[in-house]
Amino acid sequence: MTTVLGLETSCDETSAAVLQGGAVGARLASCVILSQDVHAVYRGVVPELASRAHLKAIGPVADRALADAGVALDDVDLIAVTAGPGLVGALLVGVSYAKGLAVATGKPLVGVHHLEGHLFGTVLDDPAAEPPFVGLIISGGHTLLLDVPAWGAYRLLGETRDDAVGEAFDKVGALLGLGFPGGPAIEREAARGDPARWRFPRPMLHGGQRPGDPDYLDLSMSGLKTALVLAVRGVDDLAAERPHLARGFQDAVIDVVTQKVLRAVAITGRPRVVLGGGVACNQALRAALASALGARGATLHAPTPRISTDNAAMIARAGLFRAAEAGRPIDAEARLPFPGLERA
Ligand code: KG4
Ligand code: ZN
């Protein structure tokens, strides 16, 4: 049994978690997530403020995760930290803290790719979320569709050509006067919106291929965003129209994402789809994906909201895999870029 202390500071969540893993399965003993709310004022994450907030929080958050788990630092066998991608200053806080701990205690340290972390998150909530599967990571910073035949082997099936899906939610949220982050607010508004009132374009619904590679499944959000800008300009009473605009936008995103996922399943023949990233919190998207996949005999595996958004539990789980894979402790810088990711 390996006790892992996971640390995550890549964006605007300071998080620490303790995970206990053996040959089969892993048990989450604690997970503390401190979300920085300072960014709401600026309607987006301000990197320097994020770094400063991490600096203040990382020590107490790590101590709290250990205390919640009833584990002493001495009993930790492995420290896992997000090494990238993310905001450089924010990452630096977590990596420096982790290195300090590793040097002071003599414990091994492993650097984790943030997106590999998201792939490993879902299995903490749902033991069936094991490869082979199609992985869909949709967050504020990333949109990735991956074929995952086995842990550590990742084939890129498609990504966004412009905005990440969560970023589009955030920008449209701001446009509709809904504050930051936009995703949860848009979902709330959309729930009472009329689906027939606005029909927005579905960018690259059947497109997104790249020259010479007809199976590429790229996404694009920019045309949809423009359509929203134009719609908002033409509206007299934004407050009255807001739920309907939110519904029209969300439905367009859901259609595009669902279509891409169905294509990915058709191309790869994988029986499962594993979802990760903050946008995975969206219940309407989850319901649409689950039903479309169910109709084709495939299953959707989505994490709880706590594990969808950035957290250290997923980093600890991916770190456990990486350390076992390497057969020895590996250095924080050694694992980038995305280990095993290739476009075959
Ligand atoms: O994974 P995450 O916590 O941070 C990044 O790595 O980006 O994802 C945050 C993103 C934000 O863009 C937020 O608007 C979006 O996830 N999000 C949602 C929902 N909850 C969070 N988007 C749509 N519907 C939601 N319910
Ligand atoms: Zn993330």
Side-chain angles (χ1 to χ4, degrees):
M1 168 104 100
T2 306
T3 299
V4 190
L5 172 65
L7 299 163
E8 152 69 36
T9 65
S10 69
C11 191
D12 59 345
E13 263 89 27
T14 314
S15 180
V18 176
L19 183 90
Q20 293 176 317
V24 260
R27 187 185 76 88
L28 190 59
S30 71
C31 180
V32 179
I33 305 172
L34 190 68
S35 290
Q36 304 174 358
D37 52 11
V38 56
H39 309 289
V41 178
Y42 303 94
R43 291 193 296 180
V45 178
V46 182
E48 182 55 29
L49 295 181
S51 313
R52 291 181 201 195
H54 285 308
L55 207 50
K56 275 196 193 143
I58 186 71
V61 165
D63 290 347
R64 175 71 186 275
L66 289 167
D68 283 0
V71 163
L73 187 53
D74 258 3
D75 303 329
V76 168
D77 303 305
L78 176 73
I79 301 164
V81 63
T82 305
L87 302 171
V88 173
L91 288 164
L92 195 59
V93 175
V95 170
S96 304
Y97 183 81
K99 282 187 174 179
L101 269 189
V103 168
T105 60
K107 311 279 182 192
L109 172 67
V110 54
V112 171
H113 193 288
H114 182 79
L115 299 177
E116 187 173 39
H118 274 298
L119 284 179
F120 270 99
T122 309
V123 77
L124 292 173
D125 284 334
D126 178 353
E130 288 276 350
F133 61 71
V134 164
L136 174 67
I137 301 171
I138 34 178
S139 72
H142 300 276
T143 302
L144 280 187
L145 202 49
L146 300 162
D147 181 26
V148 184
W151 289 123
Y154 310 113
R155 185 165 73 99
L156 185 64
L157 298 171
E159 58 194 327
T160 183
R161 296 240 179 123
D162 34 65
D163 284 8
V165 175
E167 187 181 357
F169 269 95
D170 293 336
K171 288 178 177 169
V172 170
L175 188 67
L176 298 179
L178 288 170
F180 177 85
I186 287 186
E187 182 172 16
R188 270 195 305 277
E189 289 289 322
R192 54 193 187 88
D194 175 359
R197 193 161 166 92
W198 293 90
R199 178 152 181 105
F200 293 115
R202 272 81 173 140
M204 291 188 187
L205 188 61
H206 300 289
Q209 296 86 4
R210 293 185 185 181
D213 200 341
D215 281 348
Y216 234 105
L217 295 167
D218 278 349
L219 289 84
S220 166
M221 293 283 128
S222 70
L224 175 57
K225 249 180 2 185
T226 307
L228 261 293
V229 170
L230 296 175
V232 167
R233 265 188 212 157
V235 155
D236 290 329
D237 185 353
L238 182 58
E241 215 53 57
R242 193 178 282 132
H244 313 308
L245 289 164
R247 178 61 183 262
F249 167 75
Q250 183 174 277
D251 284 355
V253 172
I254 289 175
D255 271 4
V256 172
V257 171
T258 303
Q259 191 58 38
K260 300 287 168 180
V261 168
L262 290 180
R263 283 279 302 145
V265 166
I267 290 168
T268 61
R270 303 298 178 207
R272 286 177 286 281
V273 172
V274 169
L275 210 52
V279 186
C281 293
N282 190 293
Q283 293 297 331
L285 173 65
R286 291 161 77 130
L289 279 174
S291 111
L293 287 167
R296 283 160 178 79
T299 48
L300 179 72
H301 302 267
T304 55
R306 176 174 81 139
I307 298 294
S308 300
T309 52
D310 290 347
N311 67 85
M314 66 185 197
I315 301 303
R317 182 65 190 78
L320 187 63
F321 167 76
R322 279 290 148 204
E325 181 80 346
R328 60 186 164 75
I330 44 182
D331 177 63
E333 280 96 347
R335 303 310 312 173
L336 300 175
F338 207 153
L341 177 65
E342 56 177 65
R343 175 70 189 153

